[in-house]
Structure formats: structure tokens, C-alpha cells
PDB file of all heavy atoms in Angstrom:
ATOM      1  N   GLY A   1       1.352  60.330 -69.572  1.00  0.00           N
ATOM      2  CA  GLY A   1      -0.048  60.506 -69.217  1.00  0.00           C
ATOM      3  C   GLY A   1      -0.469  59.335 -68.345  1.00  0.00           C
ATOM      4  O   GLY A   1       0.350  58.497 -67.943  1.00  0.00           O
ATOM      5  N   PHE A   2      -1.746  59.256 -68.034  1.00  0.00           N
ATOM      6  CA  PHE A   2      -2.212  58.175 -67.165  1.00  0.00           C
ATOM      7  C   PHE A   2      -3.518  57.605 -67.695  1.00  0.00           C
ATOM      8  O   PHE A   2      -4.449  58.341 -68.041  1.00  0.00           O
ATOM      9  CB  PHE A   2      -2.419  58.663 -65.727  1.00  0.00           C
ATOM     10  CG  PHE A   2      -2.711  57.569 -64.758  1.00  0.00           C
ATOM     11  CD1 PHE A   2      -1.691  56.824 -64.199  1.00  0.00           C
ATOM     12  CD2 PHE A   2      -4.025  57.251 -64.405  1.00  0.00           C
ATOM     13  CE1 PHE A   2      -1.954  55.800 -63.303  1.00  0.00           C
ATOM     14  CE2 PHE A   2      -4.299  56.235 -63.518  1.00  0.00           C
ATOM     15  CZ  PHE A   2      -3.260  55.498 -62.962  1.00  0.00           C
ATOM     16  N   GLY A   3      -3.571  56.264 -67.738  1.00  0.00           N
ATOM     17  CA  GLY A   3      -4.802  55.586 -68.109  1.00  0.00           C
ATOM     18  C   GLY A   3      -5.242  55.950 -69.515  1.00  0.00           C
ATOM     19  O   GLY A   3      -4.480  55.890 -70.492  1.00  0.00           O
ATOM     20  N   SER A   4      -6.488  56.348 -69.639  1.00  0.00           N
ATOM     21  CA  SER A   4      -7.040  56.690 -70.948  1.00  0.00           C
ATOM     22  C   SER A   4      -6.434  57.957 -71.525  1.00  0.00           C
ATOM     23  O   SER A   4      -6.647  58.265 -72.699  1.00  0.00           O
ATOM     24  CB  SER A   4      -8.558  56.848 -70.830  1.00  0.00           C
ATOM     25  OG  SER A   4      -8.876  57.862 -69.873  1.00  0.00           O
ATOM     26  N   GLY A   5      -5.663  58.707 -70.724  1.00  0.00           N
ATOM     27  CA  GLY A   5      -5.001  59.913 -71.227  1.00  0.00           C
ATOM     28  C   GLY A   5      -3.688  59.645 -71.934  1.00  0.00           C
ATOM     29  O   GLY A   5      -3.080  60.579 -72.471  1.00  0.00           O
ATOM     30  N   VAL A   6      -3.216  58.403 -71.956  1.00  0.00           N
ATOM     31  CA  VAL A   6      -1.959  58.069 -72.626  1.00  0.00           C
ATOM     32  C   VAL A   6      -2.171  58.125 -74.135  1.00  0.00           C
ATOM     33  O   VAL A   6      -3.121  57.532 -74.671  1.00  0.00           O
ATOM     34  CB  VAL A   6      -1.466  56.674 -72.204  1.00  0.00           C
ATOM     35  CG1 VAL A   6      -0.236  56.272 -73.013  1.00  0.00           C
ATOM     36  CG2 VAL A   6      -1.146  56.656 -70.712  1.00  0.00           C
ATOM     37  N   GLN A   7      -1.281  58.831 -74.834  1.00  0.00           N
ATOM     38  CA  GLN A   7      -1.308  58.877 -76.289  1.00  0.00           C
ATOM     39  C   GLN A   7      -0.233  57.930 -76.836  1.00  0.00           C
ATOM     40  O   GLN A   7       0.927  57.992 -76.396  1.00  0.00           O
ATOM     41  CB  GLN A   7      -1.052  60.294 -76.802  1.00  0.00           C
ATOM     42  CG  GLN A   7      -2.090  61.306 -76.341  1.00  0.00           C
ATOM     43  CD  GLN A   7      -1.861  62.673 -76.958  1.00  0.00           C
ATOM     44  OE1 GLN A   7      -2.060  62.873 -78.157  1.00  0.00           O
ATOM     45  NE2 GLN A   7      -1.435  63.613 -76.144  1.00  0.00           N
ATOM     46  N   ILE A   8      -0.609  57.096 -77.753  1.00  0.00           N
ATOM     47  CA  ILE A   8       0.313  56.107 -78.298  1.00  0.00           C
ATOM     48  C   ILE A   8       1.543  56.757 -78.926  1.00  0.00           C
ATOM     49  O   ILE A   8       2.667  56.300 -78.695  1.00  0.00           O
ATOM     50  CB  ILE A   8      -0.410  55.188 -79.304  1.00  0.00           C
ATOM     51  CG1 ILE A   8      -1.594  54.481 -78.626  1.00  0.00           C
ATOM     52  CG2 ILE A   8       0.557  54.160 -79.883  1.00  0.00           C
ATOM     53  CD1 ILE A   8      -1.210  53.630 -77.445  1.00  0.00           C
ATOM     54  N   PRO A   9       1.429  57.840 -79.727  1.00  0.00           N
ATOM     55  CA  PRO A   9       2.640  58.472 -80.269  1.00  0.00           C
ATOM     56  C   PRO A   9       3.581  58.995 -79.182  1.00  0.00           C
ATOM     57  O   PRO A   9       4.804  58.935 -79.332  1.00  0.00           O
ATOM     58  CB  PRO A   9       2.095  59.600 -81.137  1.00  0.00           C
ATOM     59  CG  PRO A   9       0.717  59.176 -81.507  1.00  0.00           C
ATOM     60  CD  PRO A   9       0.209  58.439 -80.301  1.00  0.00           C
ATOM     61  N   VAL A  10       3.013  59.507 -78.108  1.00  0.00           N
ATOM     62  CA  VAL A  10       3.852  59.989 -77.003  1.00  0.00           C
ATOM     63  C   VAL A  10       4.595  58.825 -76.363  1.00  0.00           C
ATOM     64  O   VAL A  10       5.793  58.918 -76.048  1.00  0.00           O
ATOM     65  CB  VAL A  10       2.983  60.734 -75.971  1.00  0.00           C
ATOM     66  CG1 VAL A  10       3.805  61.075 -74.730  1.00  0.00           C
ATOM     67  CG2 VAL A  10       2.395  61.998 -76.582  1.00  0.00           C
ATOM     68  N   ARG A  11       3.907  57.714 -76.154  1.00  0.00           N
ATOM     69  CA  ARG A  11       4.563  56.536 -75.580  1.00  0.00           C
ATOM     70  C   ARG A  11       5.619  55.975 -76.527  1.00  0.00           C
ATOM     71  O   ARG A  11       6.710  55.574 -76.082  1.00  0.00           O
ATOM     72  CB  ARG A  11       3.522  55.466 -75.251  1.00  0.00           C
ATOM     73  CG  ARG A  11       4.107  54.258 -74.523  1.00  0.00           C
ATOM     74  CD  ARG A  11       3.024  53.289 -74.103  1.00  0.00           C
ATOM     75  NE  ARG A  11       2.402  52.622 -75.252  1.00  0.00           N
ATOM     76  CZ  ARG A  11       1.360  51.795 -75.149  1.00  0.00           C
ATOM     77  NH1 ARG A  11       0.823  51.546 -73.972  1.00  0.00           N
ATOM     78  NH2 ARG A  11       0.843  51.227 -76.229  1.00  0.00           N
ATOM     79  N   ASP A  12       5.325  55.938 -77.810  1.00  0.00           N
ATOM     80  CA  ASP A  12       6.312  55.440 -78.771  1.00  0.00           C
ATOM     81  C   ASP A  12       7.571  56.302 -78.771  1.00  0.00           C
ATOM     82  O   ASP A  12       8.686  55.788 -78.859  1.00  0.00           O
ATOM     83  CB  ASP A  12       5.702  55.408 -80.175  1.00  0.00           C
ATOM     84  CG  ASP A  12       4.609  54.354 -80.301  1.00  0.00           C
ATOM     85  OD1 ASP A  12       4.570  53.446 -79.442  1.00  0.00           O
ATOM     86  OD2 ASP A  12       3.786  54.456 -81.238  1.00  0.00           O
ATOM     87  N   ARG A  13       7.400  57.612 -78.669  1.00  0.00           N
ATOM     88  CA  ARG A  13       8.563  58.506 -78.624  1.00  0.00           C
ATOM     89  C   ARG A  13       9.417  58.226 -77.392  1.00  0.00           C
ATOM     90  O   ARG A  13      10.651  58.152 -77.477  1.00  0.00           O
ATOM     91  CB  ARG A  13       8.098  59.966 -78.624  1.00  0.00           C
ATOM     92  CG  ARG A  13       9.223  60.979 -78.532  1.00  0.00           C
ATOM     93  CD  ARG A  13       8.678  62.398 -78.555  1.00  0.00           C
ATOM     94  NE  ARG A  13       7.751  62.656 -77.461  1.00  0.00           N
ATOM     95  CZ  ARG A  13       7.019  63.769 -77.352  1.00  0.00           C
ATOM     96  NH1 ARG A  13       7.080  64.695 -78.291  1.00  0.00           N
ATOM     97  NH2 ARG A  13       6.208  63.935 -76.321  1.00  0.00           N
ATOM     98  N   PHE A  14       8.773  58.053 -76.258  1.00  0.00           N
ATOM     99  CA  PHE A  14       9.515  57.771 -75.031  1.00  0.00           C
ATOM    100  C   PHE A  14      10.277  56.449 -75.148  1.00  0.00           C
ATOM    101  O   PHE A  14      11.451  56.354 -74.784  1.00  0.00           O
ATOM    102  CB  PHE A  14       8.548  57.731 -73.845  1.00  0.00           C
ATOM    103  CG  PHE A  14       9.218  57.532 -72.510  1.00  0.00           C
ATOM    104  CD1 PHE A  14       9.678  58.605 -71.778  1.00  0.00           C
ATOM    105  CD2 PHE A  14       9.382  56.258 -71.985  1.00  0.00           C
ATOM    106  CE1 PHE A  14      10.301  58.426 -70.552  1.00  0.00           C
ATOM    107  CE2 PHE A  14       9.988  56.056 -70.763  1.00  0.00           C
ATOM    108  CZ  PHE A  14      10.455  57.145 -70.040  1.00  0.00           C
ATOM    109  N   GLN A  15       9.626  55.406 -75.658  1.00  0.00           N
ATOM    110  CA  GLN A  15      10.275  54.105 -75.763  1.00  0.00           C
ATOM    111  C   GLN A  15      11.374  54.099 -76.808  1.00  0.00           C
ATOM    112  O   GLN A  15      12.362  53.347 -76.674  1.00  0.00           O
ATOM    113  CB  GLN A  15       9.232  53.036 -76.080  1.00  0.00           C
ATOM    114  CG  GLN A  15       8.241  52.779 -74.946  1.00  0.00           C
ATOM    115  CD  GLN A  15       7.272  51.663 -75.254  1.00  0.00           C
ATOM    116  OE1 GLN A  15       7.236  51.131 -76.359  1.00  0.00           O
ATOM    117  NE2 GLN A  15       6.467  51.292 -74.259  1.00  0.00           N
ATOM    118  N   ASN A  16      11.266  54.910 -77.851  1.00  0.00           N
ATOM    119  CA  ASN A  16      12.323  54.974 -78.855  1.00  0.00           C
ATOM    120  C   ASN A  16      13.624  55.502 -78.273  1.00  0.00           C
ATOM    121  O   ASN A  16      14.718  55.130 -78.728  1.00  0.00           O
ATOM    122  CB  ASN A  16      11.890  55.852 -80.028  1.00  0.00           C
ATOM    123  CG  ASN A  16      10.831  55.192 -80.894  1.00  0.00           C
ATOM    124  OD1 ASN A  16      10.696  53.963 -80.889  1.00  0.00           O
ATOM    125  ND2 ASN A  16      10.068  55.999 -81.616  1.00  0.00           N
ATOM    126  N   PHE A  17      13.533  56.357 -77.272  1.00  0.00           N
ATOM    127  CA  PHE A  17      14.730  56.950 -76.683  1.00  0.00           C
ATOM    128  C   PHE A  17      15.195  56.215 -75.429  1.00  0.00           C
ATOM    129  O   PHE A  17      16.400  56.200 -75.148  1.00  0.00           O
ATOM    130  CB  PHE A  17      14.475  58.423 -76.346  1.00  0.00           C
ATOM    131  CG  PHE A  17      14.546  59.339 -77.531  1.00  0.00           C
ATOM    132  CD1 PHE A  17      13.454  59.508 -78.367  1.00  0.00           C
ATOM    133  CD2 PHE A  17      15.703  60.040 -77.812  1.00  0.00           C
ATOM    134  CE1 PHE A  17      13.511  60.345 -79.457  1.00  0.00           C
ATOM    135  CE2 PHE A  17      15.782  60.884 -78.902  1.00  0.00           C
ATOM    136  CZ  PHE A  17      14.679  61.041 -79.737  1.00  0.00           C
ATOM    137  N   PHE A  18      14.280  55.641 -74.657  1.00  0.00           N
ATOM    138  CA  PHE A  18      14.649  55.041 -73.375  1.00  0.00           C
ATOM    139  C   PHE A  18      14.483  53.527 -73.343  1.00  0.00           C
ATOM    140  O   PHE A  18      14.992  52.891 -72.417  1.00  0.00           O
ATOM    141  CB  PHE A  18      13.819  55.651 -72.241  1.00  0.00           C
ATOM    142  CG  PHE A  18      14.165  57.077 -71.940  1.00  0.00           C
ATOM    143  CD1 PHE A  18      13.389  58.112 -72.433  1.00  0.00           C
ATOM    144  CD2 PHE A  18      15.269  57.391 -71.167  1.00  0.00           C
ATOM    145  CE1 PHE A  18      13.697  59.430 -72.168  1.00  0.00           C
ATOM    146  CE2 PHE A  18      15.591  58.704 -70.887  1.00  0.00           C
ATOM    147  CZ  PHE A  18      14.810  59.733 -71.396  1.00  0.00           C
ATOM    148  N   GLY A  19      13.802  52.937 -74.287  1.00  0.00           N
ATOM    149  CA  GLY A  19      13.584  51.498 -74.274  1.00  0.00           C
ATOM    150  C   GLY A  19      12.179  51.145 -73.819  1.00  0.00           C
ATOM    151  O   GLY A  19      11.402  52.002 -73.365  1.00  0.00           O
ATOM    152  N   ASN A  20      11.867  49.852 -73.932  1.00  0.00           N
ATOM    153  CA  ASN A  20      10.531  49.360 -73.575  1.00  0.00           C
ATOM    154  C   ASN A  20      10.317  49.458 -72.072  1.00  0.00           C
ATOM    155  O   ASN A  20      11.176  49.070 -71.269  1.00  0.00           O
ATOM    156  CB  ASN A  20      10.378  47.910 -74.046  1.00  0.00           C
ATOM    157  CG  ASN A  20       8.923  47.495 -74.114  1.00  0.00           C
ATOM    158  OD1 ASN A  20       8.100  47.922 -73.318  1.00  0.00           O
ATOM    159  ND2 ASN A  20       8.602  46.635 -75.073  1.00  0.00           N
ATOM    160  N   GLY A  21       9.157  49.965 -71.699  1.00  0.00           N
ATOM    161  CA  GLY A  21       8.851  50.091 -70.275  1.00  0.00           C
ATOM    162  C   GLY A  21       8.463  48.797 -69.613  1.00  0.00           C
ATOM    163  O   GLY A  21       8.376  48.745 -68.376  1.00  0.00           O
ATOM    164  N   ASN A  22       8.244  47.742 -70.375  1.00  0.00           N
ATOM    165  CA  ASN A  22       7.917  46.422 -69.830  1.00  0.00           C
ATOM    166  C   ASN A  22       9.088  45.492 -70.138  1.00  0.00           C
ATOM    167  O   ASN A  22       9.325  45.148 -71.302  1.00  0.00           O
ATOM    168  CB  ASN A  22       6.631  45.885 -70.463  1.00  0.00           C
ATOM    169  CG  ASN A  22       5.465  46.843 -70.297  1.00  0.00           C
ATOM    170  OD1 ASN A  22       4.917  47.007 -69.218  1.00  0.00           O
ATOM    171  ND2 ASN A  22       5.091  47.499 -71.396  1.00  0.00           N
ATOM    172  N   ARG A  23       9.806  45.078 -69.109  1.00  0.00           N
ATOM    173  CA  ARG A  23      11.009  44.296 -69.327  1.00  0.00           C
ATOM    174  C   ARG A  23      11.380  43.540 -68.065  1.00  0.00           C
ATOM    175  O   ARG A  23      10.911  43.850 -66.959  1.00  0.00           O
ATOM    176  CB  ARG A  23      12.168  45.198 -69.748  1.00  0.00           C
ATOM    177  CG  ARG A  23      12.447  46.312 -68.748  1.00  0.00           C
ATOM    178  CD  ARG A  23      13.460  47.302 -69.289  1.00  0.00           C
ATOM    179  NE  ARG A  23      14.784  46.687 -69.416  1.00  0.00           N
ATOM    180  CZ  ARG A  23      15.780  47.247 -70.100  1.00  0.00           C
ATOM    181  NH1 ARG A  23      15.590  48.407 -70.728  1.00  0.00           N
ATOM    182  NH2 ARG A  23      16.955  46.659 -70.158  1.00  0.00           N
ATOM    183  N   VAL A  24      12.276  42.561 -68.228  1.00  0.00           N
ATOM    184  CA  VAL A  24      12.829  41.796 -67.112  1.00  0.00           C
ATOM    185  C   VAL A  24      14.346  41.884 -67.207  1.00  0.00           C
ATOM    186  O   VAL A  24      14.932  41.610 -68.262  1.00  0.00           O
ATOM    187  CB  VAL A  24      12.376  40.326 -67.144  1.00  0.00           C
ATOM    188  CG1 VAL A  24      13.038  39.548 -66.009  1.00  0.00           C
ATOM    189  CG2 VAL A  24      10.860  40.228 -67.024  1.00  0.00           C
ATOM    190  N   ASP A  25      14.982  42.278 -66.115  1.00  0.00           N
ATOM    191  CA  ASP A  25      16.440  42.360 -66.027  1.00  0.00           C
ATOM    192  C   ASP A  25      16.899  41.579 -64.810  1.00  0.00           C
ATOM    193  O   ASP A  25      16.357  41.770 -63.704  1.00  0.00           O
ATOM    194  CB  ASP A  25      16.888  43.817 -65.902  1.00  0.00           C
ATOM    195  CG  ASP A  25      16.499  44.661 -67.098  1.00  0.00           C
ATOM    196  OD1 ASP A  25      17.229  44.627 -68.107  1.00  0.00           O
ATOM    197  OD2 ASP A  25      15.453  45.355 -67.027  1.00  0.00           O
ATOM    198  N   VAL A  26      17.871  40.723 -64.999  1.00  0.00           N
ATOM    199  CA  VAL A  26      18.468  39.995 -63.881  1.00  0.00           C
ATOM    200  C   VAL A  26      19.650  40.808 -63.382  1.00  0.00           C
ATOM    201  O   VAL A  26      20.644  40.992 -64.092  1.00  0.00           O
ATOM    202  CB  VAL A  26      18.897  38.586 -64.299  1.00  0.00           C
ATOM    203  CG1 VAL A  26      19.586  37.882 -63.127  1.00  0.00           C
ATOM    204  CG2 VAL A  26      17.694  37.775 -64.765  1.00  0.00           C
ATOM    205  N   ILE A  27      19.543  41.312 -62.168  1.00  0.00           N
ATOM    206  CA  ILE A  27      20.565  42.165 -61.562  1.00  0.00           C
ATOM    207  C   ILE A  27      20.896  41.605 -60.192  1.00  0.00           C
ATOM    208  O   ILE A  27      20.000  41.468 -59.341  1.00  0.00           O
ATOM    209  CB  ILE A  27      20.070  43.618 -61.437  1.00  0.00           C
ATOM    210  CG1 ILE A  27      19.708  44.181 -62.822  1.00  0.00           C
ATOM    211  CG2 ILE A  27      21.105  44.499 -60.766  1.00  0.00           C
ATOM    212  CD1 ILE A  27      19.097  45.560 -62.763  1.00  0.00           C
ATOM    213  N   GLY A  28      22.137  41.299 -59.979  1.00  0.00           N
ATOM    214  CA  GLY A  28      22.535  40.763 -58.680  1.00  0.00           C
ATOM    215  C   GLY A  28      21.806  39.491 -58.321  1.00  0.00           C
ATOM    216  O   GLY A  28      21.458  39.293 -57.148  1.00  0.00           O
ATOM    217  N   ASN A  29      21.568  38.627 -59.297  1.00  0.00           N
ATOM    218  CA  ASN A  29      20.839  37.364 -59.100  1.00  0.00           C
ATOM    219  C   ASN A  29      19.427  37.595 -58.567  1.00  0.00           C
ATOM    220  O   ASN A  29      18.896  36.797 -57.798  1.00  0.00           O
ATOM    221  CB  ASN A  29      21.616  36.428 -58.166  1.00  0.00           C
ATOM    222  CG  ASN A  29      22.934  35.980 -58.767  1.00  0.00           C
ATOM    223  OD1 ASN A  29      23.087  35.957 -59.990  1.00  0.00           O
ATOM    224  ND2 ASN A  29      23.880  35.627 -57.910  1.00  0.00           N
ATOM    225  N   HIS A  30      18.823  38.699 -58.980  1.00  0.00           N
ATOM    226  CA  HIS A  30      17.425  39.001 -58.696  1.00  0.00           C
ATOM    227  C   HIS A  30      16.758  39.380 -60.018  1.00  0.00           C
ATOM    228  O   HIS A  30      17.382  40.039 -60.862  1.00  0.00           O
ATOM    229  CB  HIS A  30      17.271  40.154 -57.698  1.00  0.00           C
ATOM    230  CG  HIS A  30      17.699  39.813 -56.306  1.00  0.00           C
ATOM    231  ND1 HIS A  30      19.018  39.644 -55.947  1.00  0.00           N
ATOM    232  CD2 HIS A  30      16.969  39.621 -55.165  1.00  0.00           C
ATOM    233  CE1 HIS A  30      19.092  39.364 -54.656  1.00  0.00           C
ATOM    234  NE2 HIS A  30      17.855  39.341 -54.157  1.00  0.00           N
ATOM    235  N   SER A  31      15.514  38.970 -60.184  1.00  0.00           N
ATOM    236  CA  SER A  31      14.762  39.284 -61.404  1.00  0.00           C
ATOM    237  C   SER A  31      13.962  40.566 -61.186  1.00  0.00           C
ATOM    238  O   SER A  31      12.992  40.589 -60.416  1.00  0.00           O
ATOM    239  CB  SER A  31      13.820  38.129 -61.765  1.00  0.00           C
ATOM    240  OG  SER A  31      14.556  36.971 -62.102  1.00  0.00           O
ATOM    241  N   PHE A  32      14.370  41.656 -61.859  1.00  0.00           N
ATOM    242  CA  PHE A  32      13.682  42.939 -61.779  1.00  0.00           C
ATOM    243  C   PHE A  32      12.650  43.007 -62.889  1.00  0.00           C
ATOM    244  O   PHE A  32      12.998  42.996 -64.082  1.00  0.00           O
ATOM    245  CB  PHE A  32      14.680  44.091 -61.899  1.00  0.00           C
ATOM    246  CG  PHE A  32      15.481  44.347 -60.658  1.00  0.00           C
ATOM    247  CD1 PHE A  32      16.519  43.495 -60.290  1.00  0.00           C
ATOM    248  CD2 PHE A  32      15.188  45.426 -59.841  1.00  0.00           C
ATOM    249  CE1 PHE A  32      17.258  43.727 -59.149  1.00  0.00           C
ATOM    250  CE2 PHE A  32      15.922  45.669 -58.695  1.00  0.00           C
ATOM    251  CZ  PHE A  32      16.963  44.809 -58.338  1.00  0.00           C
ATOM    252  N   VAL A  33      11.378  43.111 -62.510  1.00  0.00           N
ATOM    253  CA  VAL A  33      10.267  43.140 -63.462  1.00  0.00           C
ATOM    254  C   VAL A  33       9.724  44.565 -63.504  1.00  0.00           C
ATOM    255  O   VAL A  33       9.169  45.064 -62.512  1.00  0.00           O
ATOM    256  CB  VAL A  33       9.162  42.149 -63.071  1.00  0.00           C
ATOM    257  CG1 VAL A  33       8.022  42.204 -64.085  1.00  0.00           C
ATOM    258  CG2 VAL A  33       9.723  40.737 -62.955  1.00  0.00           C
ATOM    259  N   SER A  34       9.890  45.245 -64.643  1.00  0.00           N
ATOM    260  CA  SER A  34       9.381  46.604 -64.823  1.00  0.00           C
ATOM    261  C   SER A  34       8.061  46.542 -65.578  1.00  0.00           C
ATOM    262  O   SER A  34       7.961  45.866 -66.611  1.00  0.00           O
ATOM    263  CB  SER A  34      10.384  47.455 -65.606  1.00  0.00           C
ATOM    264  OG  SER A  34      11.637  47.516 -64.944  1.00  0.00           O
ATOM    265  N   VAL A  35       7.050  47.259 -65.084  1.00  0.00           N
ATOM    266  CA  VAL A  35       5.717  47.255 -65.685  1.00  0.00           C
ATOM    267  C   VAL A  35       5.274  48.694 -65.926  1.00  0.00           C
ATOM    268  O   VAL A  35       5.359  49.546 -65.026  1.00  0.00           O
ATOM    269  CB  VAL A  35       4.694  46.525 -64.790  1.00  0.00           C
ATOM    270  CG1 VAL A  35       3.317  46.522 -65.450  1.00  0.00           C
ATOM    271  CG2 VAL A  35       5.146  45.101 -64.498  1.00  0.00           C
ATOM    272  N   ASP A  36       4.803  48.960 -67.137  1.00  0.00           N
ATOM    273  CA  ASP A  36       4.270  50.270 -67.507  1.00  0.00           C
ATOM    274  C   ASP A  36       2.865  50.404 -66.915  1.00  0.00           C
ATOM    275  O   ASP A  36       1.848  50.222 -67.599  1.00  0.00           O
ATOM    276  CB  ASP A  36       4.255  50.390 -69.036  1.00  0.00           C
ATOM    277  CG  ASP A  36       3.654  51.707 -69.514  1.00  0.00           C
ATOM    278  OD1 ASP A  36       3.407  52.586 -68.670  1.00  0.00           O
ATOM    279  OD2 ASP A  36       3.420  51.829 -70.733  1.00  0.00           O
ATOM    280  N   THR A  37       2.792  50.744 -65.640  1.00  0.00           N
ATOM    281  CA  THR A  37       1.492  50.830 -64.964  1.00  0.00           C
ATOM    282  C   THR A  37       0.653  52.030 -65.392  1.00  0.00           C
ATOM    283  O   THR A  37      -0.586  51.936 -65.328  1.00  0.00           O
ATOM    284  CB  THR A  37       1.689  50.839 -63.437  1.00  0.00           C
ATOM    285  OG1 THR A  37       2.686  51.818 -63.091  1.00  0.00           O
ATOM    286  CG2 THR A  37       2.143  49.482 -62.947  1.00  0.00           C
ATOM    287  N   PRO A  38       1.219  53.183 -65.823  1.00  0.00           N
ATOM    288  CA  PRO A  38       0.322  54.230 -66.337  1.00  0.00           C
ATOM    289  C   PRO A  38      -0.501  53.770 -67.534  1.00  0.00           C
ATOM    290  O   PRO A  38      -1.688  54.110 -67.638  1.00  0.00           O
ATOM    291  CB  PRO A  38       1.299  55.357 -66.719  1.00  0.00           C
ATOM    292  CG  PRO A  38       2.451  55.174 -65.800  1.00  0.00           C
ATOM    293  CD  PRO A  38       2.601  53.690 -65.671  1.00  0.00           C
ATOM    294  N   SER A  39       0.097  52.975 -68.436  1.00  0.00           N
ATOM    295  CA  SER A  39      -0.666  52.465 -69.575  1.00  0.00           C
ATOM    296  C   SER A  39      -1.603  51.344 -69.161  1.00  0.00           C
ATOM    297  O   SER A  39      -2.754  51.264 -69.628  1.00  0.00           O
ATOM    298  CB  SER A  39       0.287  51.970 -70.666  1.00  0.00           C
ATOM    299  OG  SER A  39       1.093  53.010 -71.161  1.00  0.00           O
ATOM    300  N   LEU A  40      -1.134  50.463 -68.263  1.00  0.00           N
ATOM    301  CA  LEU A  40      -1.955  49.344 -67.826  1.00  0.00           C
ATOM    302  C   LEU A  40      -3.209  49.821 -67.102  1.00  0.00           C
ATOM    303  O   LEU A  40      -4.255  49.154 -67.128  1.00  0.00           O
ATOM    304  CB  LEU A  40      -1.141  48.423 -66.926  1.00  0.00           C
ATOM    305  CG  LEU A  40      -1.810  47.128 -66.464  1.00  0.00           C
ATOM    306  CD1 LEU A  40      -2.127  46.230 -67.651  1.00  0.00           C
ATOM    307  CD2 LEU A  40      -0.921  46.397 -65.458  1.00  0.00           C
ATOM    308  N   SER A  41      -3.147  50.989 -66.473  1.00  0.00           N
ATOM    309  CA  SER A  41      -4.292  51.492 -65.710  1.00  0.00           C
ATOM    310  C   SER A  41      -5.467  51.863 -66.592  1.00  0.00           C
ATOM    311  O   SER A  41      -6.565  52.111 -66.074  1.00  0.00           O
ATOM    312  CB  SER A  41      -3.870  52.709 -64.873  1.00  0.00           C
ATOM    313  OG  SER A  41      -2.912  52.339 -63.900  1.00  0.00           O
TER     314      SER A  41
END
């Protein structure tokens, strides 16, 4: 969903299967910063 339409149980289900949407991964000596912008909005 987007913004105020995001349901916490729906987000929890997604993260349980795919991982946290907010994370930092170092790949190829670069810092990849992933941000859950639908929730942040």
C-alpha cells in the first residue's frame, strides 16, 4: 500500500518472507541503502 493506506500486518507478512525493507548492504565496495518509502510517505 502507500502512505496512510499501509497496513501493519500486511507489511509484517512481507518482511517475514523477504526481510526488512530498511537495510544497508555493502556490495562491490559501495554502500546500498534501501528505504521503505511507501511507509515513510
Side-chain angles (χ1 to χ4, degrees):
F2 188 83
S4 58
V6 174
Q7 299 184 70
I8 302 301
V10 172
R11 186 175 69 185
D12 292 342
R13 178 179 59 188
F14 184 88
Q15 292 183 354
N16 288 338
F17 281 83
F18 290 100
N20 198 326
N22 304 287
R23 56 188 292 167
V24 177
D25 298 278
V26 177
I27 301 175
N29 295 335
H30 290 72
S31 295
F32 284 75
V33 180
S34 301
V35 181
D36 177 9
T37 49
S39 298
L40 185 63
S41 296

